[in-house]
Amino acid sequence: MSAALQSDPAFPGPPMATVPDGRDPDLRTVLGYWSTKRGGRRIPSRADIDPIDIPTLLPYIGLVDVEDRPRRYRYRLVGSFIAAMWGESFQGRYLDTARHQSYRAFLHDLYTTAADGRHALLSEAVFDYGGEAPVTIRRMILPLAPADDAPVNMLLFANQFSAPDLPDRSTPMSDLHMEPALPEAALDHFEEILRQPLPLD
């Protein structure tokens, strides 16, 4: 089963060069949808994101509430496929309650970069399973705000999972014969190999 987000010609992404090396037509679909919803604004609002527009994308995307004073991130929505890949649903939880300190800090930094910078952000990290093939997670993070002069109050994100022996599609962890879905040890052994803001103006 391919975990790739379903491409929707109604939401063509920005030029392929915007997403490095052209490996992510699926993430480009999410980026294209978000960009379309901006209209003349810098970023769209949560009210602009309508599940009816993107039913095929829903299993692969999530929403994160951005809280300030102090800055915290709470998972409002986690797509069913993302939950399956991680082996659990973290919907309703705060990021700062996650067990793995290094990975928690990594995600907090990513979310803060996207929220404070008010731009789309693409990240790629490789997770080491020891004797198993590593798994790569490419992540698109897209800020949402009620108005251009208002703080970012939510993030839309999409994750794409892939393994080196299956370079053209995302793959459920179960297909890689790894139990549980994402071994906890892998969260202590990862390396970010790409972080790129994607300005669209």
Side-chain angles (χ1 to χ4, degrees), residues 39-148:
R41 293 162 295 161
R42 179 165 181 177
I43 59 178
S45 71
R46 168 63 182 91
D48 297 317
I49 307 301
D50 189 341
I52 293 175
D53 293 338
I54 50 173
T56 58
L57 298 180
L58 295 180
Y60 314 108
I61 63 175
L63 291 169
V64 179
D65 289 321
V66 179
E67 300 180 3
D68 279 315
R69 300 186 181 90
R71 175 63 64 88
R72 297 184 78 190
Y73 299 101
R74 179 181 176 273
Y75 290 97
R76 175 181 291 260
L77 172 71
V78 177
S80 59
F81 189 81
I82 294 175
M85 293 293 280
W86 288 100
E88 64 176 326
S89 175
F90 39 97
Q91 188 165 303
R93 298 183 195 170
Y94 282 94
L95 174 62
D96 56 27
T97 65
R99 289 172 296 199
H100 292 268
Q101 183 175 358
S102 57
Y103 190 59
R104 181 177 70 220
F106 166 65
L107 288 180
H108 189 280
D109 189 43
L110 278 181
Y111 294 160
T112 300
T113 299
D116 291 351
R118 303 176 72 85
H119 52 60
L121 184 67
L122 178 67
S123 170
E124 180 175 351
V126 177
F127 293 78
D128 181 9
Y129 289 85
E132 302 284 358
V135 169
T136 298
I137 301 178
R138 286 171 73 86
R139 178 180 284 107
M140 183 73 69
I141 305 172
L142 304 163
L144 306 172
D148 279 345

Side-chain angles (χ1 to χ4, degrees), residues 175-189:
D175 286 1
L176 302 176
H177 308 292
M178 298 176 182
E179 296 293 343
L182 187 64
E184 289 197 14
L187 294 179
D188 292 323
H189 301 91

